[in-house]
Amino acid sequence: MGFAGQNIVVGYDDTTAAMAAVRWAADLAQATSSRLHLVHAWSWPVLGQGIAGLPVIDPAGPRNQASRLLEDAADRIAAQFPEVPVSAELLAGTPRETLEEISGRTDLLVVGTRGLGAVMGTLLGSVSRGILHDAGCPVAVIRSDQHRAGPVLAGYDGSEAAGAAVDEAADLAAAWDVALRVIHVRAGAHAPYAGGGAEAWSAGSRSRGVLDEGVARATARHEGLVVQARSVEDRTVAEGMLRAAAGARILVIGHRGLSRGPFGSTAQATVLHATGNVAVVRASGGAGAPHE
């Protein structure tokens, strides 16, 4: 599963942001010889009241309109990316419910930042209860399909989840034939060390060790891949990753790194405040266990 998988699902609702996510996913599908599947969540509207106040439901019109919008988007992408197999599916239910369900049987789920209307705002406003927490596959949150320069970035802290992020980022960088940059953030590193120079040297040594481990993992996965290492110092890990991600094609992070929460506070803050594209990756079999 992940970026090297054969099935990519995109949530679509006829917005500009959703179409940008579809184009981004189609470009990736072309680079990885994958299939692209567009889905739209649809609920039956209540149009009035009948006898004894019972709701009268007439789904035909709105459902047909939603189906046409979805098919039109699929036709446009198929014309633009003729080598990519494109399909579309109208699903009954709320966007969050349907995307969570379909994420358990696909390789990659792609959404736009506003591509799910008001639901997407709720998603990013309560990440721990949203699709980023419950999805059964990596989730790419796309803000733009225009930025095609720069390296792929992977945040690495030595955790199992971060290792999965490095693996997926390496696959993506290899598919795009761009450099992979593994970054490690030392939170609060700008503050004076109480232990003096020896403690500062020790912290720097640990950071280099973590980076070396992440780089070795990526190079072992793809021979010939250009892998760079960067150590970043900032007030928080999220701020450091966001600063490092400026100009990157996408930032890939673990669903849960060294955080003890069900969805790491670093991942949550990164997704909420990123100005570029971000992908959230789970470790195999679930989030990685916290490290000391």
Side-chain angles (χ1 to χ4, degrees):
M1 297 182 66
F3 292 111
Q6 296 300 301
N7 298 289
I8 301 174
V9 170
V10 189
Y12 181 74
D13 72 347
D14 193 38
T15 62
T16 301
M19 199 62 204
V22 171
R23 288 192 299 266
W24 184 92
D27 181 72
L28 177 61
Q30 182 171 265
T32 56
S33 300
S34 300
R35 293 178 291 272
L36 184 65
H37 189 53
L38 278 57
V39 298
H40 177 76
W42 177 84
S43 300
W44 286 16
V46 177
L47 301 181
Q49 289 187 334
I51 300 174
L54 295 176
V56 175
I57 300 176
D58 179 11
R63 188 183 190 285
N64 291 340
Q65 182 182 18
S67 182
R68 285 194 300 271
L69 291 173
L70 190 58
E71 290 171 0
D72 287 347
D75 289 343
R76 292 201 303 272
I77 287 299
Q80 187 176 354
F81 297 87
E83 298 178 1
V84 176
V86 182
S87 57
E89 183 179 9
L90 193 62
L91 301 172
T94 67
R96 175 173 164 178
E97 291 170 345
T98 56
L99 291 180
E100 284 181 12
E101 191 279 328
I102 204 170
S103 72
R105 48 188 172 91
T106 192
D107 296 308
L108 175 67
L109 176 63
V110 181
V111 296
T113 52
R114 291 184 177 272
L116 300 177
V119 173
M120 194 60 198
T122 302
L123 163 66
L124 294 182
S126 57
V127 179
S128 64
R129 298 187 302 274
I131 186 65
L132 292 175
H133 169 63
D134 296 319
C137 68
V139 179
V141 180
I142 303 304
R143 287 171 168 81
S144 173
D145 65 320
Q146 300 300 314
H147 184 62
R148 300 176 182 273
V152 172
L153 262 66
Y156 187 69
D157 62 4
S159 67
E160 183 182 353
V166 168
D167 291 346
E168 296 294 349
D171 290 347
L172 187 54
W176 280 337
D177 194 23
V178 298
L180 169 65
R181 183 172 298 166
V182 180
I183 59 173
H184 175 69
V185 181
R186 291 167 54 195
H190 65 285
Y193 284 90
E199 185 173 345
W201 181 90
S202 178
S205 180
R206 287 195 300 270
S207 181
R208 287 191 295 273
V210 169
L211 278 172
D212 289 344
E213 181 181 284
V215 169
R217 182 166 183 151
T219 53
R221 191 172 179 89
H222 288 282
E223 183 178 356
L225 179 66
V226 176
V227 184
Q228 305 165 347
R230 295 288 186 276
S231 179
V232 178
E233 300 180 357
D234 216 315
R235 191 175 64 88
T236 67
V237 174
E239 290 174 347
M241 285 202 293
L242 291 172
R243 181 161 59 88
R249 192 160 174 174
I250 192 170
L251 170 64
V252 185
I253 58 176
H255 172 270
R256 176 183 172 188
L258 301 185
S259 166
R260 294 184 180 276
F263 185 87
S265 58
T266 292
Q268 178 173 337
T270 302
V271 173
L272 283 171
H273 299 293
T275 58
N277 300 332
V278 180
V280 179
V281 175
R282 284 177 175 272
S284 299
H291 292 229
E292 296 296 338

mmCIF file of all heavy atoms in Angstrom, residues 113-167:
data_model
loop_
_atom_site.group_PDB
_atom_site.id
_atom_site.type_symbol
_atom_site.label_atom_id
_atom_site.label_comp_id
_atom_site.label_asym_id
_atom_site.label_seq_id
_atom_site.Cartn_x
_atom_site.Cartn_y
_atom_site.Cartn_z
ATOM 1 N N THR A 113 -7.662 20.308 0.278
ATOM 2 C CA THR A 113 -7.841 20.977 1.567
ATOM 3 C C THR A 113 -9.252 21.501 1.740
ATOM 4 O O THR A 113 -9.763 21.556 2.840
ATOM 5 C CB THR A 113 -6.866 22.153 1.721
ATOM 6 O OG1 THR A 113 -6.979 23.001 0.579
ATOM 7 C CG2 THR A 113 -5.450 21.663 1.844
ATOM 8 N N ARG A 114 -9.883 21.889 0.652
ATOM 9 C CA ARG A 114 -11.281 22.274 0.708
ATOM 10 C C ARG A 114 -12.109 21.385 -0.206
ATOM 11 O O ARG A 114 -13.250 21.671 -0.507
ATOM 12 C CB ARG A 114 -11.467 23.739 0.294
ATOM 13 C CG ARG A 114 -10.900 24.722 1.299
ATOM 14 C CD ARG A 114 -11.209 26.152 0.893
ATOM 15 N NE ARG A 114 -10.736 27.082 1.895
ATOM 16 C CZ ARG A 114 -11.447 27.466 2.951
ATOM 17 N NH1 ARG A 114 -12.649 26.983 3.142
ATOM 18 N NH2 ARG A 114 -10.957 28.327 3.813
ATOM 19 N N GLY A 115 -11.527 20.303 -0.649
ATOM 20 C CA GLY A 115 -12.175 19.452 -1.624
ATOM 21 C C GLY A 115 -13.360 18.668 -1.111
ATOM 22 O O GLY A 115 -14.050 18.024 -1.886
ATOM 23 N N LEU A 116 -13.630 18.719 0.181
ATOM 24 C CA LEU A 116 -14.799 18.043 0.714
ATOM 25 C C LEU A 116 -15.755 19.057 1.340
ATOM 26 O O LEU A 116 -16.533 18.735 2.218
ATOM 27 C CB LEU A 116 -14.373 17.003 1.759
ATOM 28 C CG LEU A 116 -13.445 15.926 1.220
ATOM 29 C CD1 LEU A 116 -13.021 15.002 2.334
ATOM 30 C CD2 LEU A 116 -14.126 15.129 0.125
ATOM 31 N N GLY A 117 -15.694 20.292 0.863
ATOM 32 C CA GLY A 117 -16.603 21.313 1.353
ATOM 33 C C GLY A 117 -16.426 21.553 2.837
ATOM 34 O O GLY A 117 -15.327 21.543 3.374
ATOM 35 N N ALA A 118 -17.565 21.752 3.524
ATOM 36 C CA ALA A 118 -17.508 22.054 4.949
ATOM 37 C C ALA A 118 -16.929 20.897 5.746
ATOM 38 O O ALA A 118 -16.318 21.085 6.790
ATOM 39 C CB ALA A 118 -18.908 22.385 5.462
ATOM 40 N N VAL A 119 -17.102 19.675 5.244
ATOM 41 C CA VAL A 119 -16.582 18.505 5.961
ATOM 42 C C VAL A 119 -15.070 18.566 6.069
ATOM 43 O O VAL A 119 -14.475 18.171 7.058
ATOM 44 C CB VAL A 119 -17.028 17.209 5.261
ATOM 45 C CG1 VAL A 119 -16.353 15.993 5.893
ATOM 46 C CG2 VAL A 119 -18.538 17.076 5.346
ATOM 47 N N MET A 120 -14.407 19.077 5.020
ATOM 48 C CA MET A 120 -12.952 19.138 5.069
ATOM 49 C C MET A 120 -12.500 20.108 6.147
ATOM 50 O O MET A 120 -11.505 19.869 6.833
ATOM 51 C CB MET A 120 -12.407 19.567 3.702
ATOM 52 C CG MET A 120 -10.922 19.328 3.573
ATOM 53 S SD MET A 120 -10.500 17.577 3.766
ATOM 54 C CE MET A 120 -8.762 17.720 4.109
ATOM 55 N N GLY A 121 -13.238 21.206 6.316
ATOM 56 C CA GLY A 121 -12.895 22.133 7.392
ATOM 57 C C GLY A 121 -13.013 21.455 8.743
ATOM 58 O O GLY A 121 -12.178 21.632 9.617
ATOM 59 N N THR A 122 -14.055 20.646 8.919
ATOM 60 C CA THR A 122 -14.212 19.895 10.151
ATOM 61 C C THR A 122 -13.101 18.879 10.310
ATOM 62 O O THR A 122 -12.556 18.665 11.387
ATOM 63 C CB THR A 122 -15.574 19.175 10.160
ATOM 64 O OG1 THR A 122 -16.608 20.147 10.013
ATOM 65 C CG2 THR A 122 -15.780 18.412 11.453
ATOM 66 N N LEU A 123 -12.739 18.239 9.190
ATOM 67 C CA LEU A 123 -11.663 17.246 9.211
ATOM 68 C C LEU A 123 -10.381 17.842 9.751
ATOM 69 O O LEU A 123 -9.758 17.313 10.653
ATOM 70 C CB LEU A 123 -11.447 16.709 7.795
ATOM 71 C CG LEU A 123 -10.135 15.982 7.511
ATOM 72 C CD1 LEU A 123 -10.086 14.694 8.298
ATOM 73 C CD2 LEU A 123 -10.000 15.704 6.036
ATOM 74 N N LEU A 124 -9.972 18.966 9.193
ATOM 75 C CA LEU A 124 -8.706 19.554 9.611
ATOM 76 C C LEU A 124 -8.839 20.264 10.945
ATOM 77 O O LEU A 124 -7.855 20.566 11.596
ATOM 78 C CB LEU A 124 -8.203 20.517 8.535
ATOM 79 C CG LEU A 124 -7.816 19.842 7.218
ATOM 80 C CD1 LEU A 124 -7.290 20.871 6.230
ATOM 81 C CD2 LEU A 124 -6.794 18.757 7.423
ATOM 82 N N GLY A 125 -10.065 20.555 11.373
ATOM 83 C CA GLY A 125 -10.249 21.197 12.656
ATOM 84 C C GLY A 125 -10.278 20.200 13.802
ATOM 85 O O GLY A 125 -10.098 20.568 14.944
ATOM 86 N N SER A 126 -10.547 18.925 13.518
ATOM 87 C CA SER A 126 -10.577 17.895 14.557
ATOM 88 C C SER A 126 -9.917 16.643 14.004
ATOM 89 O O SER A 126 -10.537 15.614 13.820
ATOM 90 C CB SER A 126 -12.010 17.601 14.990
ATOM 91 O OG SER A 126 -12.781 17.211 13.889
ATOM 92 N N VAL A 127 -8.628 16.771 13.745
ATOM 93 C CA VAL A 127 -7.894 15.713 13.055
ATOM 94 C C VAL A 127 -7.972 14.385 13.792
ATOM 95 O O VAL A 127 -8.107 13.331 13.180
ATOM 96 C CB VAL A 127 -6.425 16.126 12.845
ATOM 97 C CG1 VAL A 127 -5.647 15.036 12.145
ATOM 98 C CG2 VAL A 127 -6.352 17.414 12.056
ATOM 99 N N SER A 128 -7.875 14.418 15.108
ATOM 100 C CA SER A 128 -7.819 13.164 15.860
ATOM 101 C C SER A 128 -9.077 12.332 15.689
ATOM 102 O O SER A 128 -9.058 11.126 15.920
ATOM 103 C CB SER A 128 -7.582 13.444 17.347
ATOM 104 O OG SER A 128 -8.667 14.158 17.887
ATOM 105 N N ARG A 129 -10.189 12.957 15.286
ATOM 106 C CA ARG A 129 -11.425 12.210 15.085
ATOM 107 C C ARG A 129 -11.753 12.061 13.610
ATOM 108 O O ARG A 129 -12.791 11.521 13.264
ATOM 109 C CB ARG A 129 -12.583 12.925 15.796
ATOM 110 C CG ARG A 129 -12.414 13.023 17.291
ATOM 111 C CD ARG A 129 -13.662 13.569 17.952
ATOM 112 N NE ARG A 129 -14.027 14.882 17.448
ATOM 113 C CZ ARG A 129 -13.537 16.026 17.906
ATOM 114 N NH1 ARG A 129 -12.627 15.999 18.863
ATOM 115 N NH2 ARG A 129 -13.918 17.168 17.408
ATOM 116 N N GLY A 130 -10.894 12.509 12.732
ATOM 117 C CA GLY A 130 -11.173 12.513 11.304
ATOM 118 C C GLY A 130 -10.483 11.413 10.542
ATOM 119 O O GLY A 130 -9.896 10.496 11.112
ATOM 120 N N ILE A 131 -10.542 11.530 9.231
ATOM 121 C CA ILE A 131 -10.016 10.495 8.354
ATOM 122 C C ILE A 131 -8.514 10.298 8.525
ATOM 123 O O ILE A 131 -7.993 9.204 8.351
ATOM 124 C CB ILE A 131 -10.362 10.821 6.884
ATOM 125 C CG1 ILE A 131 -9.958 9.686 5.954
ATOM 126 C CG2 ILE A 131 -9.734 12.125 6.437
ATOM 127 C CD1 ILE A 131 -10.717 8.426 6.174
ATOM 128 N N LEU A 132 -7.780 11.353 8.888
ATOM 129 C CA LEU A 132 -6.339 11.208 9.070
ATOM 130 C C LEU A 132 -6.016 10.275 10.235
ATOM 131 O O LEU A 132 -4.953 9.646 10.258
ATOM 132 C CB LEU A 132 -5.686 12.573 9.292
ATOM 133 C CG LEU A 132 -5.687 13.504 8.084
ATOM 134 C CD1 LEU A 132 -5.119 14.863 8.459
ATOM 135 C CD2 LEU A 132 -4.898 12.903 6.941
ATOM 136 N N HIS A 133 -6.946 10.179 11.183
ATOM 137 C CA HIS A 133 -6.725 9.266 12.303
ATOM 138 C C HIS A 133 -7.178 7.851 11.967
ATOM 139 O O HIS A 133 -6.523 6.869 12.338
ATOM 140 C CB HIS A 133 -7.476 9.761 13.535
ATOM 141 C CG HIS A 133 -7.532 8.763 14.655
ATOM 142 N ND1 HIS A 133 -6.398 8.321 15.303
ATOM 143 C CD2 HIS A 133 -8.569 8.109 15.218
ATOM 144 C CE1 HIS A 133 -6.747 7.438 16.226
ATOM 145 N NE2 HIS A 133 -8.054 7.286 16.197
ATOM 146 N N ASP A 134 -8.289 7.731 11.256
ATOM 147 C CA ASP A 134 -8.919 6.431 11.072
ATOM 148 C C ASP A 134 -8.646 5.768 9.733
ATOM 149 O O ASP A 134 -9.020 4.612 9.537
ATOM 150 C CB ASP A 134 -10.437 6.570 11.242
ATOM 151 C CG ASP A 134 -10.808 7.003 12.653
ATOM 152 O OD1 ASP A 134 -10.183 6.498 13.600
ATOM 153 O OD2 ASP A 134 -11.701 7.857 12.801
ATOM 154 N N ALA A 135 -8.038 6.467 8.798
ATOM 155 C CA ALA A 135 -7.832 5.892 7.465
ATOM 156 C C ALA A 135 -6.969 4.636 7.527
ATOM 157 O O ALA A 135 -6.035 4.543 8.317
ATOM 158 C CB ALA A 135 -7.181 6.919 6.543
ATOM 159 N N GLY A 136 -7.296 3.680 6.671
ATOM 160 C CA GLY A 136 -6.538 2.438 6.630
ATOM 161 C C GLY A 136 -5.396 2.459 5.642
ATOM 162 O O GLY A 136 -4.800 1.418 5.363
ATOM 163 N N CYS A 137 -5.068 3.622 5.095
ATOM 164 C CA CYS A 137 -3.976 3.757 4.124
ATOM 165 C C CYS A 137 -3.386 5.155 4.252
ATOM 166 O O CYS A 137 -3.948 6.013 4.942
ATOM 167 C CB CYS A 137 -4.502 3.534 2.696
ATOM 168 S SG CYS A 137 -5.626 4.834 2.116
ATOM 169 N N PRO A 138 -2.250 5.431 3.599
ATOM 170 C CA PRO A 138 -1.711 6.797 3.612
ATOM 171 C C PRO A 138 -2.711 7.787 3.024
ATOM 172 O O PRO A 138 -3.484 7.448 2.122
ATOM 173 C CB PRO A 138 -0.455 6.684 2.731
ATOM 174 C CG PRO A 138 -0.065 5.247 2.826
ATOM 175 C CD PRO A 138 -1.351 4.485 2.919
ATOM 176 N N VAL A 139 -2.693 9.012 3.546
ATOM 177 C CA VAL A 139 -3.591 10.065 3.077
ATOM 178 C C VAL A 139 -2.756 11.258 2.620
ATOM 179 O O VAL A 139 -1.930 11.765 3.378
ATOM 180 C CB VAL A 139 -4.559 10.519 4.188
ATOM 181 C CG1 VAL A 139 -5.476 11.638 3.672
ATOM 182 C CG2 VAL A 139 -5.390 9.346 4.700
ATOM 183 N N ALA A 140 -2.973 11.695 1.383
ATOM 184 C CA ALA A 140 -2.293 12.884 0.858
ATOM 185 C C ALA A 140 -3.276 14.052 0.885
ATOM 186 O O ALA A 140 -4.373 13.960 0.326
ATOM 187 C CB ALA A 140 -1.799 12.636 -0.563
ATOM 188 N N VAL A 141 -2.889 15.127 1.558
ATOM 189 C CA VAL A 141 -3.702 16.336 1.638
ATOM 190 C C VAL A 141 -3.098 17.344 0.666
ATOM 191 O O VAL A 141 -1.996 17.852 0.889
ATOM 192 C CB VAL A 141 -3.721 16.899 3.068
ATOM 193 C CG1 VAL A 141 -4.579 18.155 3.144
ATOM 194 C CG2 VAL A 141 -4.233 15.844 4.047
ATOM 195 N N ILE A 142 -3.814 17.625 -0.421
ATOM 196 C CA ILE A 142 -3.271 18.403 -1.523
ATOM 197 C C ILE A 142 -3.792 19.831 -1.511
ATOM 198 O O ILE A 142 -4.999 20.070 -1.527
ATOM 199 C CB ILE A 142 -3.607 17.732 -2.875
ATOM 200 C CG1 ILE A 142 -3.081 16.303 -2.896
ATOM 201 C CG2 ILE A 142 -3.036 18.541 -4.031
ATOM 202 C CD1 ILE A 142 -1.606 16.172 -2.617
ATOM 203 N N ARG A 143 -2.864 20.766 -1.473
ATOM 204 C CA ARG A 143 -3.213 22.176 -1.536
ATOM 205 C C ARG A 143 -2.986 22.759 -2.921
ATOM 206 O O ARG A 143 -3.567 23.765 -3.273
ATOM 207 C CB ARG A 143 -2.413 22.954 -0.492
ATOM 208 C CG ARG A 143 -2.900 22.693 0.926
ATOM 209 C CD ARG A 143 -1.985 23.285 1.974
ATOM 210 N NE ARG A 143 -2.631 23.256 3.278
ATOM 211 C CZ ARG A 143 -2.697 22.197 4.071
ATOM 212 N NH1 ARG A 143 -2.154 21.060 3.671
ATOM 213 N NH2 ARG A 143 -3.307 22.258 5.236
ATOM 214 N N SER A 144 -2.108 22.153 -3.700
ATOM 215 C CA SER A 144 -1.835 22.642 -5.049
ATOM 216 C C SER A 144 -1.258 21.519 -5.896
ATOM 217 O O SER A 144 -0.500 20.693 -5.402
ATOM 218 C CB SER A 144 -0.847 23.812 -5.008
ATOM 219 O OG SER A 144 -0.452 24.179 -6.307
ATOM 220 N N ASP A 145 -1.654 21.502 -7.170
ATOM 221 C CA ASP A 145 -1.063 20.540 -8.102
ATOM 222 C C ASP A 145 -0.085 21.227 -9.041
ATOM 223 O O ASP A 145 0.390 20.634 -10.002
ATOM 224 C CB ASP A 145 -2.158 19.851 -8.919
ATOM 225 C CG ASP A 145 -2.889 20.823 -9.838
ATOM 226 O OD1 ASP A 145 -3.154 21.960 -9.396
ATOM 227 O OD2 ASP A 145 -3.198 20.452 -10.976
ATOM 228 N N GLN A 146 0.226 22.500 -8.757
ATOM 229 C CA GLN A 146 1.080 23.278 -9.652
ATOM 230 C C GLN A 146 2.557 23.158 -9.320
ATOM 231 O O GLN A 146 3.408 23.256 -10.197
ATOM 232 C CB GLN A 146 0.668 24.763 -9.598
ATOM 233 C CG GLN A 146 -0.772 25.015 -10.008
ATOM 234 C CD GLN A 146 -1.054 24.570 -11.429
ATOM 235 O OE1 GLN A 146 -0.279 24.852 -12.345
ATOM 236 N NE2 GLN A 146 -2.154 23.861 -11.622
ATOM 237 N N HIS A 147 2.886 22.981 -8.049
ATOM 238 C CA HIS A 147 4.293 22.977 -7.636
ATOM 239 C C HIS A 147 4.914 21.622 -7.923
ATOM 240 O O HIS A 147 4.609 20.631 -7.267
ATOM 241 C CB HIS A 147 4.409 23.307 -6.151
ATOM 242 C CG HIS A 147 5.830 23.410 -5.684
ATOM 243 N ND1 HIS A 147 6.702 24.341 -6.180
ATOM 244 C CD2 HIS A 147 6.533 22.690 -4.793
ATOM 245 C CE1 HIS A 147 7.885 24.189 -5.609
ATOM 246 N NE2 HIS A 147 7.803 23.197 -4.757
ATOM 247 N N ARG A 148 5.775 21.536 -8.917
ATOM 248 C CA ARG A 148 6.376 20.270 -9.324
ATOM 249 C C ARG A 148 7.892 20.271 -9.144
ATOM 250 O O ARG A 148 8.551 19.325 -9.563
ATOM 251 C CB ARG A 148 6.019 19.971 -10.784
ATOM 252 C CG ARG A 148 4.525 19.854 -10.999
ATOM 253 C CD ARG A 148 4.180 19.658 -12.465
ATOM 254 N NE ARG A 148 2.744 19.593 -12.642
ATOM 255 C CZ ARG A 148 2.019 18.481 -12.541
ATOM 256 N NH1 ARG A 148 2.625 17.345 -12.255
ATOM 257 N NH2 ARG A 148 0.713 18.491 -12.716
ATOM 258 N N ALA A 149 8.442 21.310 -8.566
ATOM 259 C CA ALA A 149 9.884 21.363 -8.330
ATOM 260 C C ALA A 149 10.171 20.997 -6.879
ATOM 261 O O ALA A 149 9.280 20.826 -6.064
ATOM 262 C CB ALA A 149 10.412 22.754 -8.654
ATOM 263 N N GLY A 150 11.452 20.886 -6.572
ATOM 264 C CA GLY A 150 11.852 20.638 -5.206
ATOM 265 C C GLY A 150 11.843 19.165 -4.844
ATOM 266 O O GLY A 150 11.272 18.325 -5.536
ATOM 267 N N PRO A 151 12.472 18.839 -3.734
ATOM 268 C CA PRO A 151 12.582 17.441 -3.304
ATOM 269 C C PRO A 151 11.332 16.967 -2.577
ATOM 270 O O PRO A 151 10.467 17.758 -2.189
ATOM 271 C CB PRO A 151 13.772 17.483 -2.352
ATOM 272 C CG PRO A 151 13.669 18.837 -1.722
ATOM 273 C CD PRO A 151 13.183 19.755 -2.823
ATOM 274 N N VAL A 152 11.244 15.668 -2.377
ATOM 275 C CA VAL A 152 10.272 15.085 -1.453
ATOM 276 C C VAL A 152 10.915 15.108 -0.068
ATOM 277 O O VAL A 152 12.086 14.744 0.079
ATOM 278 C CB VAL A 152 9.919 13.645 -1.860
ATOM 279 C CG1 VAL A 152 9.064 12.978 -0.792
ATOM 280 C CG2 VAL A 152 9.210 13.632 -3.210
ATOM 281 N N LEU A 153 10.170 15.539 0.933
ATOM 282 C CA LEU A 153 10.690 15.586 2.302
ATOM 283 C C LEU A 153 10.050 14.508 3.156
ATOM 284 O O LEU A 153 8.851 14.222 3.012
ATOM 285 C CB LEU A 153 10.412 16.952 2.934
ATOM 286 C CG LEU A 153 11.566 17.961 2.920
ATOM 287 C CD1 LEU A 153 11.877 18.352 1.486
ATOM 288 C CD2 LEU A 153 11.204 19.199 3.726
ATOM 289 N N ALA A 154 10.847 13.915 4.037
ATOM 290 C CA ALA A 154 10.326 12.939 4.993
ATOM 291 C C ALA A 154 10.827 13.302 6.381
ATOM 292 O O ALA A 154 12.035 13.441 6.587
ATOM 293 C CB ALA A 154 10.767 11.524 4.630
ATOM 294 N N GLY A 155 9.904 13.481 7.320
ATOM 295 C CA GLY A 155 10.296 13.718 8.693
ATOM 296 C C GLY A 155 10.653 12.405 9.365
ATOM 297 O O GLY A 155 9.915 11.426 9.254
ATOM 298 N N TYR A 156 11.791 12.365 10.059
ATOM 299 C CA TYR A 156 12.231 11.121 10.682
ATOM 300 C C TYR A 156 12.720 11.376 12.096
ATOM 301 O O TYR A 156 13.539 12.272 12.333
ATOM 302 C CB TYR A 156 13.352 10.478 9.861
ATOM 303 C CG TYR A 156 13.726 9.100 10.359
ATOM 304 C CD1 TYR A 156 12.848 8.031 10.222
ATOM 305 C CD2 TYR A 156 14.946 8.866 10.980
ATOM 306 C CE1 TYR A 156 13.172 6.769 10.695
ATOM 307 C CE2 TYR A 156 15.283 7.603 11.448
ATOM 308 C CZ TYR A 156 14.397 6.562 11.297
ATOM 309 O OH TYR A 156 14.718 5.312 11.769
ATOM 310 N N ASP A 157 12.207 10.577 13.046
ATOM 311 C CA ASP A 157 12.624 10.713 14.447
ATOM 312 C C ASP A 157 13.024 9.377 15.061
ATOM 313 O O ASP A 157 13.175 9.268 16.271
ATOM 314 C CB ASP A 157 11.512 11.367 15.275
ATOM 315 C CG ASP A 157 10.232 10.527 15.305
ATOM 316 O OD1 ASP A 157 10.230 9.405 14.749
ATOM 317 O OD2 ASP A 157 9.224 10.993 15.888
ATOM 318 N N GLY A 158 13.167 8.353 14.227
ATOM 319 C CA GLY A 158 13.559 7.049 14.732
ATOM 320 C C GLY A 158 12.403 6.143 15.095
ATOM 321 O O GLY A 158 12.617 4.970 15.406
ATOM 322 N N SER A 159 11.167 6.638 15.056
ATOM 323 C CA SER A 159 10.008 5.832 15.413
ATOM 324 C C SER A 159 9.591 4.953 14.243
ATOM 325 O O SER A 159 9.995 5.157 13.096
ATOM 326 C CB SER A 159 8.837 6.720 15.827
ATOM 327 O OG SER A 159 8.374 7.468 14.712
ATOM 328 N N GLU A 160 8.756 3.968 14.542
ATOM 329 C CA GLU A 160 8.260 3.066 13.505
ATOM 330 C C GLU A 160 7.429 3.818 12.478
ATOM 331 O O GLU A 160 7.521 3.577 11.268
ATOM 332 C CB GLU A 160 7.424 1.952 14.142
ATOM 333 C CG GLU A 160 6.927 0.907 13.150
ATOM 334 C CD GLU A 160 6.063 -0.144 13.820
ATOM 335 O OE1 GLU A 160 5.970 -0.130 15.065
ATOM 336 O OE2 GLU A 160 5.478 -0.964 13.089
ATOM 337 N N ALA A 161 6.584 4.742 12.946
ATOM 338 C CA ALA A 161 5.747 5.506 12.034
ATOM 339 C C ALA A 161 6.595 6.383 11.116
ATOM 340 O O ALA A 161 6.304 6.531 9.921
ATOM 341 C CB ALA A 161 4.758 6.362 12.818
ATOM 342 N N ALA A 162 7.647 6.987 11.659
ATOM 343 C CA ALA A 162 8.532 7.812 10.838
ATOM 344 C C ALA A 162 9.284 6.960 9.829
ATOM 345 O O ALA A 162 9.554 7.404 8.707
ATOM 346 C CB ALA A 162 9.510 8.571 11.725
ATOM 347 N N GLY A 163 9.625 5.741 10.212
ATOM 348 C CA GLY A 163 10.266 4.834 9.264
ATOM 349 C C GLY A 163 9.356 4.518 8.094
ATOM 350 O O GLY A 163 9.795 4.472 6.939
ATOM 351 N N ALA A 164 8.062 4.317 8.373
ATOM 352 C CA ALA A 164 7.094 4.084 7.302
ATOM 353 C C ALA A 164 6.993 5.303 6.403
ATOM 354 O O ALA A 164 6.848 5.190 5.182
ATOM 355 C CB ALA A 164 5.729 3.743 7.899
ATOM 356 N N ALA A 165 7.084 6.494 6.990
ATOM 357 C CA ALA A 165 7.041 7.724 6.198
ATOM 358 C C ALA A 165 8.251 7.818 5.271
ATOM 359 O O ALA A 165 8.125 8.229 4.107
ATOM 360 C CB ALA A 165 6.981 8.940 7.122
ATOM 361 N N VAL A 166 9.425 7.454 5.759
ATOM 362 C CA VAL A 166 10.629 7.451 4.922
ATOM 363 C C VAL A 166 10.474 6.470 3.765
ATOM 364 O O VAL A 166 10.832 6.771 2.620
ATOM 365 C CB VAL A 166 11.881 7.124 5.758
ATOM 366 C CG1 VAL A 166 13.074 6.833 4.858
ATOM 367 C CG2 VAL A 166 12.202 8.280 6.700
ATOM 368 N N ASP A 167 9.929 5.294 4.044
ATOM 369 C CA ASP A 167 9.728 4.298 2.994
ATOM 370 C C ASP A 167 8.819 4.847 1.894
ATOM 371 O O ASP A 167 9.127 4.739 0.701
ATOM 372 C CB ASP A 167 9.099 3.025 3.575
ATOM 373 C CG ASP A 167 10.045 2.258 4.482
ATOM 374 O OD1 ASP A 167 11.254 2.544 4.461
ATOM 375 O OD2 ASP A 167 9.556 1.375 5.221
#
